[in-house]
Every structure is written in structure tokens, then in C-alpha cells.
Amino acid sequence: MNTTTSKSKEFEEHYSATLSDYVTALAWSPQGKTLAATTAAGEVVLWNDGELTTLQTGNGKSVDCLAFSSDGKFLAVGGQDGQVKIWQDTELIATLENAPAWVDKLAWSHTGNQLAFSLGRYVQVWNADTREIVVTLNFDNSSVLGIDWRRDGQYLAIGGYKGVKIWHSQNWDEEPYVLNMSTVSVAMAWSPDGKFLASGNMDRSVTVLEWNNPDPWVMRGFPGKIRQLAWSEATTQVGAPLLASSSVEGIVVWEKLEDDSLGWEARVLTNHVDVITAIAFAPKSFLLASAAADGWLCIWNEANQVSQIITGVSAGFSSLAWHPQGKLLAAGGEKGELFIWSKA
């Protein structure tokens, strides 16, 4: 096990602060000027050029998810109190009341100001331009565990018990495409190129659907349920992105082989000694970051070798987010630490 940090530091500390509780979520605005963070105490803060602005102080009710709209104009958060709050710059422009439902998943369309968010077994889509709910989608089988829009805005995927349902955003009334499974889809994500949809599952498997191909690949052999998935924007020689999946303290990176019948080849990345809480590829590259409850943030060069281990939290790391240009990396800690590192 490699526990030494590399001699040449790729990332150096740029900023640090401490919020009042566990950092639940982080997101950069698409232009990269602003970082938003939320906590288990209910705080919502914005970091901008070294300055921290509080949009909402802690009220004791966890805020669990946040996202910027594709144009960066709107910030949405959701949490334990059932409220979805939307800010434009620093002005609160809408509060959608959904109690007693707990809103723990939300996502903006990449092509317009449509916000999808979970309400138990349902997902609602709200339009920020008209300030109206566009549609309520019934997932039916269970609580919603994942929401992701395809990059072209055409399809909205929703995951949970028995698989993933995919709705066409131009025709919400049409029956969704169903990726059936006998298990629970815990984590789910479209690849940036829109060609693949991956699902990390409770039965220790990963399912990859190639769009317009009815036969998904299923990969097995993990130590536990799949908690996180991350696709690379960069693609390999065969034109496919890499897929990283994490289970307990291990990461498996999947690379598509040229021969479809052989599917995807796995390589296992081991270094963490406790549960991995977040993984993400840097934009347009194969540089992978992983954060874990062991208090280590690992930088994996080419999604292969650990090139740097970053520490500094008093307990574990809880979340991470790459700057849209990849020059900054932000992470949150279990004890409220907020760090931003810059590329050396």
C-alpha cells in the first residue's frame, strides 16, 4: 500500500475554511467562477475568488444535493425539509414545498433551465423560465436513487429498485424505456458523449447500456454494492470513455475493448483503507480523484497509479468536485472542512 505523497506536488492548497457540519455536496458553476457547498446542518455557501458568502445558515435540517443550471444562472438545492430552493445569483427566487418528502436527488438539464428532483417514488421537472412544474414522473418501483439527464437534454434517466427508466423529454407522456434488473440501481450516470448509461447496483454488479443496443453488459466481482460511478470526458483509442466504479474501499476502472463481445476490461485501483465517498475524472482527461472516509484524497494519474495523496481533514473526506477547466479541485470533509487545491 502506497501511503506516501509524491515528491512533485501536482495540487497545492489554495483555500480552506470550516463550515459547521459534514459537507454533503459540492458543485462548481459551469463558468468556474463560483463553488457552492451544502452541509448536514442546512448551510448553503458560495465561494468566489477567496470570499465565502452564506446563502442559508444552518437550521439543523440537512441539505443533501445541489446543482447549477447549464448557463450558471440558477443554483438549486434540496434536502431533508422537502424544500427545493432556487437562487439566481444570491437572490432566492423560488421555494418549492414538498414536505414530508425528503429531496435528496436533483439535476438540471444540460440544454435548458429544467430542473428534475426526487420526491419519494416520483420525480418532478420544474421550469425555471416559466416557474412551473412541467411534469410529474412516477418511478413506481421504489424511492428514486438516481437522476441524470443525457448531455443533449433529450433523455432523463431515473434509477432505483428493479433498474432504470428513461423518459424522452420531448414527449413525457410516452412510456419510458426500461433497463430491467432484478436488483437496485444505487448509482447511475450517462457518459458525457451520451452513448452509454451505467448503473452501479446493490447486487455488486455494474450494468452498462449502449444506447440503441438492447443487450447491456453486466460486470461482476465487487466486494460490496456499487456506491459511485464516474465517466471520463476523454475517450480511449476505441472512442469510448473510461468508467470508474467504487465499492467499499476499492475502485475498478473499466475500459471498453474493440471487440463488443469481449465487453469491458477491468483494472483495480487499491490504496484507500476505508469507504470511498466520491470519485470524479478531471475534465477532458483521465486524471481521477477519489475521496474516502480514511481521510485521504488520492489523485490517480491516467486512472492507474496514485501520483499524490492529499490529507488535512480531521476525520474523512465526504465529497469532491473538479473545476470545469480542471485547474482547481474542491473537497469537503466530515467535520465541515472545505478545501480548494490548485494545480501546481
Side-chain angles (χ1 to χ4, degrees):
M1 191 181 305
N2 168 16
T3 56
T4 56
T5 49
S6 66
K7 306 239 179 351
S8 60
K9 282 190 176 174
E10 287 174 89
F11 289 88
E12 300 173 333
E13 192 175 310
H14 179 74
Y15 174 85
S16 69
T18 305
L19 307 177
S20 69
D21 207 340
Y22 188 103
V23 177
T24 49
L26 294 171
W28 290 95
S29 64
Q31 293 74 27
K33 288 198 173 106
T34 307
L35 175 75
T38 56
T39 72
E43 290 163 285
V44 182
V45 301
L46 297 179
W47 176 89
N48 195 320
D49 202 22
E51 294 291 311
L52 213 55
T53 307
T54 300
L55 294 183
Q56 177 175 296
T57 55
N59 58 5
K61 294 204 166 169
S62 178
V63 175
D64 299 295
C65 50
L66 82 166
F68 281 98
S69 59
S70 59
D71 59 6
K73 222 162 73 169
F74 303 106
L75 171 69
V77 308
Q80 188 181 356
D81 61 7
Q83 292 184 334
V84 176
K85 290 185 171 176
I86 296 102
W87 282 269
Q88 188 169 352
D89 299 319
T90 54
E91 184 196 350
L92 183 66
I93 60 156
T95 302
L96 312 177
E97 303 274 358
N98 304 292
W102 184 322
V103 178
D104 60 355
K105 296 279 179 275
L106 54 74
W108 289 95
S109 166
H110 300 277
T111 56
N113 292 323
Q114 293 201 326
L115 175 72
F117 57 90
S118 64
L119 292 175
R121 292 169 178 252
Y122 296 87
V123 166
Q124 285 194 328
V125 179
W126 179 81
N127 186 319
D129 300 325
T130 61
R131 310 271 170 101
E132 285 173 350
I133 297 289
V134 180
V135 68
T136 301
L137 304 169
N138 183 0
F139 184 73
D140 199 28
N141 295 338
S142 71
S143 290
V144 169
L145 298 177
I147 300 176
D148 197 29
W149 294 85
R150 205 168 80 167
R151 284 279 172 105
D152 60 6
Q154 293 286 315
Y155 293 96
L156 177 65
I158 301 172
Y161 178 56
K162 299 270 184 180
V164 181
K165 296 181 181 180
I166 302 166
W167 273 270
H168 196 309
S169 65
Q170 304 306 306
N171 188 355
W172 294 115
D173 296 332
E174 212 174 87
E175 282 295 301
Y177 178 92
V178 182
L179 176 58
N180 274 313
M181 300 177 207
S182 58
T183 181
V184 179
S185 169
V186 180
M188 180 265 301
W190 287 100
S191 61
D193 60 9
K195 285 183 191 169
F196 304 99
L197 179 81
S199 171
N201 308 320
M202 187 72 86
D203 70 354
R204 308 180 176 195
S205 69
V206 169
T207 306
V208 177
L209 174 76
E210 186 170 17
W211 197 239
N212 291 328
N213 178 350
D215 299 319
W217 293 281
V218 181
M219 291 86 109
R220 301 188 186 278
F222 296 89
K225 71 176 181 187
I226 312 301
R227 293 167 187 268
Q228 280 89 24
L229 294 174
W231 288 100
S232 67
E233 281 182 6
T235 55
T236 61
Q237 282 170 331
V238 302
L242 295 180
L243 172 64
S245 55
S246 78
S247 171
V248 202
E249 73 280 354
I251 300 170
V252 178
V253 175
W254 300 93
E255 184 169 341
K256 189 174 182 300
L257 297 168
E258 197 141 7
D259 182 345
D260 272 1
S261 65
L262 296 175
W264 300 68
E265 190 172 42
R267 60 173 178 265
V268 180
L269 309 185
T270 52
N271 201 63
H272 288 292
V273 292
D274 205 341
V275 173
I276 293 166
T277 50
I279 53 175
F281 281 98
K284 300 181 176 59
S285 83
F286 294 131
L287 192 67
L288 180 70
S290 59
D294 54 19
W296 294 348
L297 193 153
C298 295
I299 306 290
W300 305 84
N301 199 17
E302 295 294 313
N304 198 353
Q305 294 285 325
V306 171
S307 55
Q308 188 177 357
I309 296 172
I310 300 172
T311 56
V313 286
S314 55
F317 280 105
S318 60
S319 46
L320 63 83
W322 285 100
H323 185 275
Q325 276 88 52
K327 57 189 180 188
L328 298 171
L329 174 62
E334 291 175 14
K335 302 286 189 198
E337 299 96 341
L338 179 62
F339 282 104
I340 299 172
W341 299 276
S342 58
K343 216 166 184 172

